């Protein structure tokens, strides 16, 4: 058409030159050309438009389906790998969403916070602190900084209590806190209102707690006893708080003034700025930011504390700040007094793992698609010869990729439903698939598109680039460099796999290292019972004797805190030779005289408590860390002076008992004898006694002598094991994802090895004819893959060493990355590679050469 128009114009132009001259002919020629710029004549910029787009895409899907059925092994590898990768990505995505949505159940989530008190340690210059604050700090914040806060709530620690009604007792977790908590948390009240804690003797129950105590009865205005000493009346019931929220384990709230009036020692702390035993929760006023509040209260202690405490606050450069609720769960570690790490590390870690596992599955698709290029080359050449443009071919191959992704997603949906309960058990979650959420389906569609695009983009452009002339003449050869991208991707696959293997081993090694740490006592056959019933105080000797009479009990003891948790920290101690500039900070445990015999601690110096010696009422036993802390070479017989001026004689030194984190150094601890330290009972069961029978016999003793007290027992070894729960969950998840990542890589390697063996069938037949052995053929087919895996190990080893070394630094008591871990990971990967490739190599090597050459 263009040629015809151009010819006509030139013919008219030549005629006009003869008639009117060149100048007029040129002018008329320009006008004629400009008149041709009309919509009906100009070709669309997009080129040729296929008017039957529907049929074109229908053919794409039809051809893609035929390819899936025709190449079943190839389809299995790709779809299976993509399905596993998608399942892992979705599970990790749901886990991350659960972590990031923590506490978002509360309507005022963004304005709720907790007061954090900090200061600088003069000895180390490190900024330290925690959420333990002074009683009078809340009233001061409320009175002097009220324009920043809507609520300032004093609270006690969340712990277990005994709720009793009539003759029934229930162990439930509760919180004593100022009444504004119901409004601050915007709890959904089933009965009562957000003012239900206004009565000083009130209690508000969760729905499940109310049902377990009162059944189908209306709980409103019913009377309860807390720990058999505090009378309360039910004034409200709230909907259970979902699991992924702070306060979710709280079964009831009761007003703070009631707790104060029921504990005389707390009354004495109302004006004491030296006692940091309390919590303060706050809610900011609208349009007030956390940064604004923290700037205002930074010098809180300098500006508001009494004169007698001011020097100490200045010495430690004390400051206060509000930690927002958004940081409570994900940022539990502090650096220079600011939230800096914690579970957010695992959110990033698993997010990266999820992306990499999905990427490994996409690599399988890319490798097998490009490896099969010679089989698809003739198809591509014919399509181009009959008029297909490159964009159409790219569309066809991307359609195949999308179809595979859709089939893989259907399979992954089945795997997700089958594995979700198991995943929740490992992750300690209550995750549900939000099938009613448009956001969820939007993410799924995006995952499908991204996966199919990521997997199919390179093969689509690679396969559509073949020249039809060479293909149809039979002169097309991929070339030596055609396999280079595949080799690089295999290296990437196994580099990621080796890093995950090393990381998983290091995590388990760290857990085992802490587990094997000497704990200083024997936790076997030891149970702990929390006892807060006041009627027990006059009966503990009777209970002790009756426990022995059961025949199941070897020894009993009492203490003011559980064996696996020590929370009483005191300063103000002095001793001979103490550096006047040195701080004195000790954990203090009040125990009965039989404590050491019950827990079987080991004394390295001195003796144990003796109740028949009157002088032991002022005696103490310290641990090894305390002896080092005080720089005492021969501590037995030395004296300490406490903050009240009382002299305490050291009668023994015990090996360090791990009572808090097994990953941290043991803190300097003082054990002092107190016959009334009965809030926790330790019972050593005889080794020969069946545990179930022993517990049942012990329970009968408590029910008979202290019937109003609930029987809430815990095995000490179970409580100690909980200290490893987070690391164990992370280890199990990492191990599971590592196994799946390796499986995906091996699956792709198996498919690639299968194709290479098929591609070299004629060569293998010729080699066998001229005398090659099975071993020679196996070596020929295996060596290339082994070399790639060795290269992967070379890259993975320093990468894993760097990242896992950085992870271990957060633990003060930690393992090392041993050389055998690296060697075992690399050798294991090479072995798996050989095992995978060998099947196809030996199968090809044992094939009858007559058959292979005839088929060629």
């Amino acid at each position: 058409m263009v040629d015809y128009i151009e010819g006509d114009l030139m013919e008219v132009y030549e005629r006009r030159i003869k008639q009117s001259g060149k100048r007029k002919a040129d002018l008329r020629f320009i006008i004629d050309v400009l008149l041709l710029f009309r919509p009906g004549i100009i070709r669309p910029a997009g080129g040729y438009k296929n008017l039957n787009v529907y049929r074109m895409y229908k053919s794409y899907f039809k051809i893609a389906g035929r390819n899936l059925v025709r190449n079943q092994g190839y389809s299995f590898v790709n779809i299976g790998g993509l399905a596993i990768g998608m399942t892992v990505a979705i599970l990790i995505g749901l886990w991350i969403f659960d972590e990031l949505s923590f506490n978002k159940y509360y309507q005022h989530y963004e304005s709720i916070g907790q007061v954090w008190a900090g200061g600088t340690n003069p000895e180390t210059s490190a900024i330290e602190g925690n959420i333990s604050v002074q009683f009078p700090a809340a009233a001061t914040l409320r009175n002097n900084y009220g324009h920043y806060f809507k609520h300032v709530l004093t609270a006690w620690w969340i712990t277990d209590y005994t709720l009793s009604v009539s003759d029934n007792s229930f162990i439930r977790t509760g919180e004593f806190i100022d009444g504004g908590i119901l409004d601050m948390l915007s709890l959904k009240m089933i009965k009562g209102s957000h003012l239900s804690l206004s009565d000083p003797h009130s209690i508000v129950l969760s729905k499940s707690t109310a049902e377990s105590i009162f059944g189908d009865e209306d709980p409103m205005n019913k009377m309860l006893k807390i720990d058999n000493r505090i009378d309360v009346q039910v004034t409200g019931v709230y909907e259970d708080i979902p699991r992924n929220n702070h306060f979710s384990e709280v079964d009831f709230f009761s007003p703070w003034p009631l707790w104060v009036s029921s504990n005389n020692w707390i009354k004495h702390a109302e004006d004491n700025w030296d006692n940091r035993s309390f919590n303060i929760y706050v809610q900011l006023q609208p349009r007030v930011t956390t940064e604004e509040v923290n700037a205002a209260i930074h010098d809180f202690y300098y500006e508001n504390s009494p004169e007698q405490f001011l020097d100490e606050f200045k010495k430690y450069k004390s400051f206060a700040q509000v930690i927002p609720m958004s940081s409570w769960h994900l940022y539990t570690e502090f650096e220079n007094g600011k939230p800096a790490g914690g579970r957010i590390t695992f959110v990033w870690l698993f997010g990266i793992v999820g992306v990499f596992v999905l990427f490994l599955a996409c690599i399988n698709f890319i490798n097998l698609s490009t490896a099969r290029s010679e089989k698809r080359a003739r198809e591509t050449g014919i399509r181009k010869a009959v008029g297909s443009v490159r964009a159409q071919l790219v569309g066809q191959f991307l359609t195949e990729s999308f179809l595979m992704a859709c089939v893989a997603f259907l399979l992954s949906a089945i795997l997700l439903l089958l594995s979700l309960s198991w995943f929740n058990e490992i992750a300690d979650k209550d995750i549900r698939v939000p099938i009613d959420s448009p956001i969820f389906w939007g993410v799924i569609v995006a995952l499908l598109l991204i996966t199919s695009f990521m997997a199919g983009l390179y093969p689509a452009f690679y396969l559509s680039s073949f020249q039809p002339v060479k293909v149809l003449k039979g002169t097309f050869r991929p070339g030596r460099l055609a396999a280079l991208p595949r080799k690089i991707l295999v290296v990437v696959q196994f580099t990621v796999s080796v890093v995950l293997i090393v990381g998983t081993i290091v995590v388990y090694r760290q857990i085992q290292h802490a587990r094997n740490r000497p704990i200083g006592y024997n936790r076997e056959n030891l149970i702990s019972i929390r006892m807060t019933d006041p009627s027990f105080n006059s009966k503990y000797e009777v209970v002790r004797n009756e426990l022995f009479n059961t025949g199941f009990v070897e020894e009993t003891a009492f203490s003011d805190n559980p064996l696996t948790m020590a929370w009483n920290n005191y300063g103000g101690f002095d001793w001979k030779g103490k550096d006047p500039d040195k701080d004195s900070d000790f954990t203090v445990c009040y125990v009965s005289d039989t404590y050491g015999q019950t827990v079987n601690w080991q004394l390295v110096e001195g003796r144990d408590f003796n109740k028949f010696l009157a002088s032991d009422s002022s005696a103490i036993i310290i641990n090894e860390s305390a002896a080092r802390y005080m720089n005492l070479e021969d501590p037995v017989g030395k004296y300490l002076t406490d903050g009240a001026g009382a002299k305490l004689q050291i009668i023994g030194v015990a090996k360090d008992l791990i009572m808090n984190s097994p990953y941290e150094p043991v803190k300097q601890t003082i054990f002092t004898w107190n016959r009334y330290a009965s809030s926790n009972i330790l019972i050593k069961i005889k080794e020969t006694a069946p545990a179930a029978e022993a517990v049942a016999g012990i329970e009968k003793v408590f029910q008979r002598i202290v019937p109003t007290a609930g029987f809430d027992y815990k095995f000490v070894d179970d409580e100690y094991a909980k200290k490893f729960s987070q690391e164990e969950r992370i280890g199990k998840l990492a191990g599971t994802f590592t196994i799946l990542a390796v499986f995906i890589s091996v699956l792709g390697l198996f498919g690639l090895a299968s194709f290479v063996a098929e591609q070299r069938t004629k060569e293998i037949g010729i080699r066998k004819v001229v005398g090659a052995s099975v071993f020679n053929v196996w070596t020929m087919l295996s060596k290339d893959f082994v070399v790639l895996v060795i290269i992967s190990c070379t890259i993975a080893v320093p990468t894993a060493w760097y990242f896992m070394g950085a992870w271990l630094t957060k633990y003060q008591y930690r393992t090392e990355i041993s050389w055998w871990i690296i060697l075992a990971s690399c050798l294991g990967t090479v072995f798996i590679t050989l095992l995978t490739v060998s099947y196809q190599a030996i199968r090809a090597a044992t094939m009858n050469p007559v058959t292979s050459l005839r088929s060629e």
Side-chain angles (χ1 to χ4, degrees):
M1 184 69 180
V2 174
D3 293 337
Y4 293 149
I5 294 174
E6 184 179 358
D8 291 344
L9 287 176
M10 294 305 299
E11 184 178 343
V12 173
Y13 175 70
E14 293 294 339
R15 187 170 63 248
R16 285 174 179 165
I17 290 177
K18 294 177 182 179
Q19 294 177 353
S20 307
K22 188 175 184 306
R23 185 174 180 182
K24 290 184 178 180
D26 288 344
L27 180 61
R28 292 293 300 274
F29 182 82
I30 293 172
I31 293 172
D32 288 340
V33 170
L34 292 176
L35 290 174
L36 291 174
F37 284 90
R38 302 196 302 271
I41 297 178
I42 299 174
R43 187 174 63 180
Y48 170 74
K49 297 293 183 181
N50 189 344
L51 300 179
N52 199 347
V53 177
Y54 168 74
R55 289 186 177 273
M56 180 180 69
Y57 282 108
K58 182 180 178 181
S59 71
Y60 286 173
F61 280 103
K62 184 181 294 185
I63 293 169
R66 288 173 179 171
N67 282 328
L68 291 180
V69 175
R70 185 182 302 117
N71 303 286
Q72 293 179 3
Y74 158 77
S75 302
F76 170 78
V77 171
N78 275 326
I79 293 175
L82 284 175
I84 294 173
M86 284 183 175
T87 304
V88 171
I90 293 172
L91 284 173
I92 290 178
L94 292 173
W95 184 86
I96 290 176
F97 178 78
D98 187 83
E99 290 288 306
L100 295 178
S101 61
F102 210 89
N103 286 327
K104 291 188 177 179
Y105 170 78
Y106 306 120
Q107 183 179 340
H108 308 300
Y109 160 79
E110 295 182 351
S111 61
I112 297 173
Q114 191 169 14
V115 176
W116 193 91
T120 302
N121 188 327
E123 298 177 21
T124 63
S125 298
I127 297 178
E128 301 172 351
N130 51 51
I131 55 174
S132 300
V133 293
Q134 301 84 351
F135 192 140
T140 307
L141 286 172
R142 198 178 296 116
N143 296 331
N144 298 353
Y145 302 87
H147 54 289
Y148 292 109
F149 303 106
K150 180 179 180 180
H151 290 294
V152 178
L153 312 178
T154 313
W156 188 238
W157 303 89
I158 298 173
T159 188
D160 291 341
Y161 300 89
T162 302
L163 298 182
S164 53
V165 54
S166 300
D167 296 329
N168 298 319
S169 296
F170 307 85
I171 306 297
R172 292 293 182 268
T173 303
E175 171 81 303
F176 282 90
I177 190 169
D178 281 320
I181 187 67
L182 304 180
D183 177 64
M184 187 174 84
L185 299 182
S186 56
L187 296 184
K188 298 175 182 177
M189 302 300 297
I190 300 173
K191 294 181 180 293
S193 69
H194 287 165
L195 300 176
S196 292
L197 289 178
S198 301
D199 186 329
H201 287 274
S202 58
I203 185 171
V204 174
L205 306 174
S206 68
K207 179 184 178 182
S208 58
T209 301
E211 290 175 350
S212 65
I213 295 177
F214 298 105
D216 295 332
E217 295 182 45
D218 185 356
M220 293 296 287
N221 302 317
K222 294 286 176 54
M223 299 301 297
L224 287 170
K225 272 186 177 292
I226 301 177
D227 287 343
N228 198 33
R229 65 189 183 93
I230 306 174
D231 293 307
V232 290
Q233 185 179 39
V234 179
T235 57
V237 177
Y238 61 90
E239 185 179 283
D240 287 8
I241 300 171
R243 186 171 178 178
N244 65 332
N245 290 276
H246 195 75
F247 300 107
S248 63
E249 75 273 27
V250 175
D251 298 311
F252 72 87
F253 292 99
S254 209
W256 173 249
L258 177 61
W259 187 243
V260 175
S261 64
S262 305
N263 295 273
N264 289 328
W265 73 270
I266 297 182
K267 294 178 184 178
H268 300 146
E270 287 183 305
D271 298 317
N272 186 354
W273 286 80
D274 197 34
N275 185 343
R276 289 176 48 176
S277 302
F278 309 93
N279 294 157
I280 297 177
Y281 296 97
V282 299
Q283 181 184 344
L284 307 184
Q285 293 282 9
R287 294 181 295 279
V288 174
T289 64
T290 303
E291 292 75 16
E292 185 181 353
V293 169
N294 287 342
I297 68 172
H298 184 272
D299 298 328
F300 171 79
Y301 290 106
Y302 301 153
E303 297 172 352
N304 300 281
S305 63
E307 189 68 29
Q308 65 266 33
F309 298 101
L310 194 56
D311 289 341
E312 184 177 1
F313 288 139
K314 287 182 178 179
K315 175 184 176 181
Y316 294 103
K317 300 178 182 177
S318 300
F319 66 94
Q321 63 178 338
V322 171
I323 304 300
M325 182 178 265
S326 57
S327 299
W328 293 1
H329 179 69
L330 295 177
Y331 297 89
T332 54
E333 298 172 7
F334 287 78
E335 184 177 338
N336 294 324
K338 300 294 182 184
R343 292 183 67 89
I344 188 65
T345 304
F346 298 115
V347 170
W348 281 106
L349 174 65
F350 284 128
I352 293 171
V353 169
V355 171
F356 271 119
V357 170
L358 187 60
F359 181 57
L360 295 183
C362 293
I363 287 177
N364 287 349
F365 187 97
I366 295 170
N367 279 345
L368 291 179
S369 296
T370 55
R372 295 175 68 251
S373 58
E374 287 190 34
K375 289 193 173 184
R376 302 297 299 270
R378 189 175 297 275
E379 174 192 345
T380 303
I382 294 173
R383 284 179 174 277
K384 281 192 170 183
V386 297
S388 290
V389 296
R390 188 173 185 183
Q392 290 173 318
L393 292 171
V394 169
Q396 177 198 340
F397 293 126
L398 285 178
T399 301
E400 289 185 16
S401 173
F402 178 72
L403 180 62
M404 276 198 177
C406 289
V407 176
F409 171 71
L410 294 177
L411 180 58
S412 74
I414 298 173
L415 294 176
L416 178 66
L417 295 176
L418 293 175
S419 62
L420 191 58
S421 59
W422 165 83
F423 181 79
N424 278 329
E425 184 178 349
I426 291 181
D428 192 30
K429 293 282 188 182
D430 189 21
I431 296 173
R432 296 287 182 270
V433 179
I435 56 176
D436 57 343
S437 171
I439 296 177
F440 173 75
W441 289 110
V443 172
I444 291 298
V445 171
L447 178 66
L448 274 174
L449 294 176
I450 291 172
T451 302
S452 58
F453 186 76
M454 188 165 58
L457 186 63
Y458 175 72
F461 278 95
Y462 177 72
L463 295 174
S464 64
S465 65
F466 298 156
Q467 297 179 17
V469 175
K470 290 184 178 181
V471 170
L472 297 177
K473 279 184 177 180
T475 59
F476 168 76
R477 292 292 181 272
R480 295 181 60 186
L481 294 179
L484 182 60
R486 292 198 298 276
K487 292 180 178 179
I488 293 174
L489 291 175
V490 169
V491 169
V492 171
Q493 272 190 318
F494 281 92
T495 298
V496 173
S497 298
V498 173
V499 170
L500 289 175
I501 291 171
V502 173
T504 301
I505 295 175
V506 171
V507 170
Y508 276 106
R509 284 267 298 170
Q510 173 63 12
I511 296 171
Q512 200 59 36
H513 181 69
R515 277 187 179 279
N516 294 337
R517 183 182 181 183
I519 62 174
Y521 60 90
N522 184 4
R523 61 180 184 270
E524 300 299 325
N525 302 313
L526 196 62
I527 65 173
S528 175
I529 302 172
R530 185 176 180 274
M531 184 55 63
T532 56
D533 193 315
S535 64
F536 176 77
N537 293 336
S538 60
K539 299 177 182 178
Y540 73 91
E541 284 294 349
V542 177
V543 170
R544 187 168 186 270
N545 292 333
E546 287 298 315
L547 288 174
F548 284 127
N549 292 336
T550 63
F552 299 123
V553 175
E554 182 178 322
E555 188 55 272
T556 65
F558 309 100
S559 66
D560 66 329
N561 54 252
L563 181 57
T564 55
M565 192 177 300
W567 51 61
N568 294 329
N569 296 302
Y570 294 93
F573 289 94
D574 197 9
W575 60 91
K576 186 176 180 180
K578 175 180 176 292
D579 184 348
D581 295 328
K582 184 181 180 68
D583 190 19
S584 61
D585 180 27
F586 291 85
T587 294
V588 179
C589 296
Y590 296 97
V591 299
S592 66
D593 58 298
T594 56
Y595 185 83
Q597 302 169 44
T598 305
V599 304
N600 195 24
W601 66 10
Q602 302 169 44
L603 295 177
V604 295
E605 292 185 54
R607 62 176 177 85
D608 209 333
F609 293 113
N610 187 339
K611 67 178 180 179
F612 299 108
L613 294 177
S615 59
D616 276 12
S617 61
S618 60
I620 60 172
I621 293 176
I622 63 174
N623 65 356
E624 292 177 299
S625 294
R628 289 191 296 269
Y629 179 78
M630 294 186 289
N631 198 24
L632 298 176
E633 295 182 2
D634 187 18
V636 176
K638 302 291 195 309
Y639 286 87
L640 267 73
T641 304
D642 65 15
K647 285 198 169 185
L648 307 172
Q649 185 182 30
I650 301 173
I651 62 170
V653 179
K655 281 193 174 182
D656 287 341
L657 276 66
I658 299 180
M659 305 177 76
N660 289 317
S661 172
Y663 300 105
E664 302 295 332
V666 176
K667 188 176 179 180
Q668 52 274 11
T669 305
I670 296 172
F671 298 92
T672 181
W673 178 29
N674 185 334
R675 68 175 68 246
Y676 299 108
S678 60
S679 59
N680 286 275
I681 305 171
L682 289 168
I683 301 175
K684 181 74 171 180
I685 300 174
K686 291 180 179 179
E687 292 184 5
T688 57
E693 293 181 20
V695 170
I698 292 169
E699 183 176 10
K700 288 179 181 178
V701 170
F702 280 92
Q703 288 177 344
R704 186 174 68 253
I705 300 175
V706 197
T708 55
F711 183 72
D712 182 28
Y713 74 94
K714 294 179 175 66
F715 278 93
V716 172
D717 54 354
D718 290 340
E719 292 301 295
Y720 186 76
K722 289 179 181 178
K723 296 179 180 294
F724 305 93
S725 59
Q726 175 171 302
E727 284 74 14
E728 284 184 335
R729 282 195 295 272
I730 296 303
K732 287 178 181 177
L733 289 173
T736 302
F737 298 147
T738 297
I739 291 172
L740 293 175
V742 173
F743 177 76
I744 291 171
S745 300
V746 168
L747 196 64
L749 190 65
F750 182 84
L752 203 57
S754 174
F755 188 82
V756 170
E758 179 186 347
Q759 195 178 37
R760 301 178 71 173
T761 300
K762 184 176 181 180
E763 177 189 350
I764 293 170
I766 295 173
R767 285 180 178 272
K768 291 197 70 177
V769 167
V770 298
S773 65
V774 173
F775 179 76
N776 294 142
V777 176
W778 174 80
T779 304
M780 177 190 71
L781 293 177
S782 302
K783 66 180 180 179
D784 288 342
F785 293 106
V786 172
V787 169
L788 294 178
V789 172
I790 292 174
I791 294 173
S792 300
C793 292
T794 305
I795 299 171
V797 166
T799 304
W801 191 288
Y802 173 78
F803 284 107
M804 295 314 299
W807 179 74
L808 285 173
T809 56
K810 76 175 193 173
Y811 299 105
Q812 292 184 324
Y813 186 82
R814 58 181 178 266
T815 187
E816 301 294 334
I817 305 178
S818 303
W819 63 269
W820 71 262
I821 296 176
I822 303 296
L823 182 61
S825 301
C826 294
L827 290 178
T829 307
V830 172
F831 175 76
I832 292 172
T833 301
L834 285 174
L835 201 63
T836 305
V837 175
S838 293
Y839 173 79
Q840 295 294 348
I842 295 173
R843 183 168 172 265
T846 55
M847 183 181 295
N848 189 337
V850 175
T851 304
S852 61
L853 292 175
R854 181 186 299 151
S855 67
E856 289 291 325

